[in-house]
Amino acid sequence: MFLIVIGIIVLILTTVLLKNNPALEKFKPIGRITGFVFILLGILTACIKQIDAGQVGVKVLFGSVQNDVMGSGLHFINPLLDVKRLDVKTQNYTMSGVHDEGNQLGDDAIRVLTSDGLEVTIDLTVLYRVVSADAPRLLSETGDDYRDKIVRPITRTKIRDNAVYYQAVELFGNKREDVQHRIYKSIEDDFKKRG
């Protein structure tokens, strides 16, 4: 887009400044050619988009999200399209009580009440990834800040919902695997519904 604007400026300057100046009249064709070259280069670069490995591109035309997904590689597109890139690699979100360990500054550990009425602090890391085919729906319904709108709140809610079925000793003892599996299934179901 920048090159197109430069080309238009060169064309306008060539037309306005050289119109009434006979001494510079010989530079008029060079100015026009330069302006058209910049416009052509701008259009060509706007038509070519590269999507890196581990990402998908979602086409957006004047705010309307298109349903097709662009995989990694080089793509030729309409120059009016805006391409939003979403990371489809496995990512993690850490909630920890240690000040600089998690994704949020300060204490971000989850405090839950167990079935025996005790408050337990849990540090955890959630692994997730965006499903490529669902990327347009995710972008249109949630936006590209899905980490703060989906991953964090659903994880915190599901951990609190599932921890109430166990006693404090069980959360860290012999039923730890059951707790993890139950939390994993409930988070996975909600994450899949959202993309």
Side-chain angles (χ1 to χ4, degrees), residues 20-143:
N20 296 327
N21 195 340
L24 298 176
E25 188 73 27
K26 61 183 174 184
F27 295 111
K28 199 171 193 179
I30 294 171
R32 285 187 179 160
I33 291 171
T34 304
F36 284 123
V37 166
F38 273 112
I39 290 172
L40 185 62
L41 283 174
I43 291 172
L44 287 175
T45 57
C47 289
I48 300 171
K49 294 290 180 188
Q50 177 183 339
I51 306 298
D52 295 330
Q55 293 183 335
V56 293
V58 179
K59 299 175 187 175
V60 180
L61 181 63
F62 301 121
S64 174
V65 176
Q66 309 295 310
N67 286 329
D68 56 332
V69 177
M70 297 167 41
S72 59
L74 200 61
H75 299 273
F76 294 96
I77 62 165
N78 178 346
L80 298 176
L81 284 173
D82 183 26
V83 177
K84 300 284 186 184
R85 290 174 175 83
L86 295 176
D87 195 350
V88 292
K89 297 182 297 254
T90 300
Q91 301 175 58
N92 65 42
Y93 190 88
T94 300
M95 290 176 252
S96 175
V98 178
H99 180 68
D100 288 334
E101 186 175 292
N103 292 80
Q104 301 277 336
L105 290 178
D107 185 2
D108 192 34
I110 299 173
R111 285 165 184 68
V112 297
L113 287 177
T114 59
S115 64
D116 51 356
L118 297 174
E119 182 180 77
V120 176
T121 303
I122 299 175
D123 289 357
L124 72 114
T125 298
V126 178
L127 299 175
Y128 66 95
R129 69 177 182 82
V130 173
V131 178
S132 299
D134 293 336
R137 185 172 57 90
L138 177 68
L139 187 63
S140 64
E141 292 176 2
T142 306

Side-chain angles (χ1 to χ4, degrees), residues 151-163:
V151 175
R152 185 173 193 270
I154 287 177
T155 301
R156 293 177 77 83
T157 300
K158 294 302 179 182
I159 289 172
R160 285 189 183 112
D161 290 349
N162 288 298

Side-chain angles (χ1 to χ4, degrees), residues 126 150 154-163 165 178-194:
V126 178
I150 294 176
I154 287 177
T155 301
R156 293 177 77 83
T157 300
K158 294 302 179 182
I159 289 172
R160 285 189 183 112
D161 290 349
N162 288 298
Y165 297 111
D178 293 339
V179 174
Q180 286 177 345
H181 182 71
R182 186 176 186 146
I183 291 171
Y184 171 78
K185 283 313 244 177
S186 63
I187 289 173
E188 181 185 35
D189 293 341
D190 272 5
F191 279 5
K192 280 185 179 178
K193 289 177 194 172
R194 308 263 182 135

Side-chain angles (χ1 to χ4, degrees), residues 170-181:
E170 294 173 334
L171 287 176
F172 300 104
N174 58 350
K175 292 198 177 181
R176 181 178 175 150
E177 292 292 323
D178 293 339
V179 174
Q180 286 177 345
H181 182 71

